Amino acid sequence: METQAKTRLLFAGGVNQDRIGGNCHLLEHQSSDGQTVRLMFDLGSIFLPESSGFSTAYPDVSAFFDRINPKTQEVCKAQKPTDALFITHAHQDHIGALISYVKMGYQLPPIYSSKTTNNAIRLFFAKAGLEPPKTVNIEREKPVKFRDCVELEAFDVSHSAVDALGFHSLTFDRGKPVVAVVHNGDFSTDEKMPIGHSFCKKDYLSLIKRKPAPQTIFLFDSTSIENSALKRIGFEQNVQNTLDVCLQNQDCNIIISPVITGSFNNAAIDFEVARRLKTKVFLDGYGLKIFKDALKLSGYTGFDELIYHGKMQKYLKDESVPLKYIVCTGAFGQGLNEYKHNIGISPTSAIWLSSAAKMALDLHPDLKVSKEYLFLMRQHFIKEICSHFGDELCHRLASKGARIVVAPSENKIGDFQQIQMQDSGHIGFEEMLSLVGDIRSIAPNMVILPVHGSKAQRTKMQKLADLCKVQSILVSNDECVEIVGGGLKICPQTQKTAWLGETLVFSNGDLQDGVVQIWKLGENDVPLEKIVEYENVKKQKVPYVAVADKNKKGRRRKQNRIFQNPKSGCER
Ligand SMILES: [Zn+2]
């Protein structure tokens, strides 16, 4: 009997119990004539709570890549070879695991993304002292084909990371379409981005219309679906509000704006405000500098004249720049967590801290916070991402006399002035209703599959689907969606999802000298709050003191970094 074509969607991460991040899923298609295509979408890290004891964790997808053991050079073939890795955009929760996998000896398949995202990835690899992976820039309306049974086309989405993409995949069997999967990534539909491409509903709907299939599954970002109270105000109003705050606080002559590293569409607000204030912006943090270079390489140079080129000490003393406007890393208070874990171990080990965290802890080499400082906390402090570190960051800075202005959010912090200065870059409830209505008129068979958010957020997205009378499915990371003969069902995955937890101790604040320890976490999905309770983690966990000692050795012999192989895949 002839076998039927089978398309499966596997979730290694990104549909978590109670946390955001670790985005990674796979599309696996087997045609009836025995061909298999396997495509991976994003490979990011998850935002962890302090109680986990880990700096970061990411999905264990070691079975999908070939590996050359860095110690023995032994080659181990992938159990499930993967043809390509598609990256939606260069935020940590979508790309954060790439470098770690390569350092462990895994051979990534070719990476397909926008030119801007690829440039950023290549620069991050170069900064880490690694050979950049093979990247392919996707050109819009030029489909990529895999063995005549999967055809993939990218589309533009609006998001805070510049040139973010979504992907439309269509699987075929003997020339006939089987299923279309529309992976929207992190996106909003009604924001016109200041830098790079934006979502175009007309193009999006025409792409869906051009590629009909018996089943069309939409993966929708559900992270901000709950936050419907906050209406989007657009770039111009965000600039105006930020400018007003700066003018209301003219007694502060140092403005600090912490942003998410890859979010140059947010930094663009600062560039425009700086232009109107007739000053120049200083970028503080190597991640921001990498993105600036990635954008320049991609042809975006418009903001370059608004950036100060030179050392920070020179900038601070430069009288031709009377108002100091510093865009820095640390929108979520990143680093306070790591600092707390490592403090007291070694006075010489400088731990990785975002610029904002360094300021809050009086560890910044050039900036000493005083009442001259105005902090623009424009990013919402999302509990699932930064636990209470956003609050702590604000309070620590305020205790040094700084003036703090925060974006309004459900997570109210202190009694600081609140003003909206930034849109979220994620789709809201009303926007989603309108989009689903439009899609349904051209693809009445649509199925909504909420991803990326916590379970509560994904459930909210499911309610929206009910409201629109559209079928929706909620999956866990241990499940997969299988489409055979026109029927769709949710099945348990043969291999349970696991996470690789990583502890980083950075020397001299430099990522490439970091010592990394990797542990395979429990066989279960999140809650990751519980991961430290797993026996195997407890046993293997090296006290921080030991890690710090190894770090010193590592610094003497530069290449001798420690990467423990997770007990999985090849080693088993
Ligand atoms: Zn994002």
Side-chain angles (χ1 to χ4, degrees), residues 100-149:
S100 297
Y101 271 100
V102 169
K103 284 185 168 182
M104 288 187 282
Y106 290 99
Q107 313 287 299
L108 297 180
I111 291 177
Y112 288 73
S113 193
S114 65
K115 188 178 179 184
T116 306
T117 302
N118 282 338
N119 281 336
I121 291 170
R122 297 174 69 82
L123 289 171
F124 270 114
F125 270 78
K127 172 79 184 169
L130 297 167
E131 181 88 11
K134 180 176 169 15
T135 54
V136 182
N137 298 338
I138 293 189
E139 291 184 48
R140 288 154 193 88
E141 294 184 20
K142 288 211 176 137
V144 190
K145 283 191 179 176
F146 294 90
R147 291 186 282 288
D148 289 331
C149 58

Side-chain angles (χ1 to χ4, degrees), residues 88-94 159-161 186-187 221 263 425-426 452:
T88 55
H89 66 286
H91 273 156
Q92 282 303 300
D93 52 333
H94 298 261
H159 189 45
S160 50
D186 288 8
F187 82 133
D221 163 17
S263 302
H426 294 267
H452 197 357

Side-chain angles (χ1 to χ4, degrees), residues 185-198:
D186 288 8
F187 82 133
S188 78
T189 60
D190 62 359
E191 279 182 75
K192 171 94 183 70
M193 298 333 282
I195 308 173
H197 295 85
S198 300

Side-chain angles (χ1 to χ4, degrees), residues 38-43 83-89 94 110-113 138 144 146 152-154 167 169 183:
R38 209 173 274 114
L39 306 176
M40 186 178 282
F41 295 84
D42 289 338
L43 186 48
D83 296 272
L85 172 52
F86 289 86
I87 301 287
T88 55
H89 66 286
H94 298 261
I111 291 177
Y112 288 73
S113 193
I138 293 189
V144 190
F146 294 90
L152 185 142
E153 204 170 320
F167 300 111
S169 320
H183 176 43

